[in-house]
Amino acid sequence: MTEKITRINPEQLHDTPGYHHITVVEAGRTAYLAGQCPLGPDGELVGSGSHEEQADQVAANALTALAAVNAEPHHVVRSVIYVKSDDGPVLASVWARLNASGLGPAFTTASTLLGVAQLGYPGQLVEVDLTVALPE
């Protein structure tokens, strides 16, 4: 399926820090991953108070979810990153941390980074929502 994913940055739009403005996917199977949270296998929050540790756990959880559907980060066609912060440098550090992780190739696609007031679990600072074009 990978060859049926096209990522586009029109010349008329601004340069991006690694993502693409548009991702086009030819017809095929799609998986929608639930928001991946910084919870360990025991269901407990990992990295209390640390955006970086939580980003690492979110990336690890997302990689596990992708593997469960025989997909890899380059099969991701849309990502939304939620960060509990309104501080630009904090948002940028989470973006950089996720891009440097094994999940990094997922963020070359159509991506959105949002600073939010609250996430679902007490103490949660980071969440990632992924849409995946499944390989054939």
Side-chain angles (χ1 to χ4, degrees), residues 17-136:
Y19 66 88
H20 287 79
H21 286 285
I22 303 165
T23 302
V24 178
V25 180
E26 300 299 321
R29 294 175 51 230
T30 305
Y32 302 88
L33 276 58
Q36 298 300 297
C37 300
L39 304 179
D42 59 0
E44 295 296 318
L45 182 74
V46 172
S48 181
S50 172
H51 286 90
E52 292 80 13
E53 288 180 42
Q54 289 196 14
D56 292 346
Q57 185 64 49
V58 164
N61 291 351
L63 288 168
T64 298
L66 288 171
V69 292
N70 297 315
E72 296 180 19
H74 66 270
H75 295 115
V76 172
V77 296
R78 174 89 175 117
S79 67
V80 181
I81 303 162
Y82 302 92
V83 181
K84 184 180 176 188
S85 180
D86 64 355
D87 184 352
V90 170
L91 296 174
S93 73
V94 171
W95 174 258
R97 187 78 170 219
L98 288 170
N99 272 277
S101 76
L103 188 60
F107 306 111
T108 64
T109 193
S111 295
T112 300
L113 174 64
L114 297 170
V116 299
Q118 186 66 42
L119 290 166
Y121 290 96
Q124 182 181 357
L125 303 173
V126 180
E127 185 167 330
V128 173
D129 177 7
L130 302 174
T131 303
V132 185
L134 294 173
E136 294 177 346

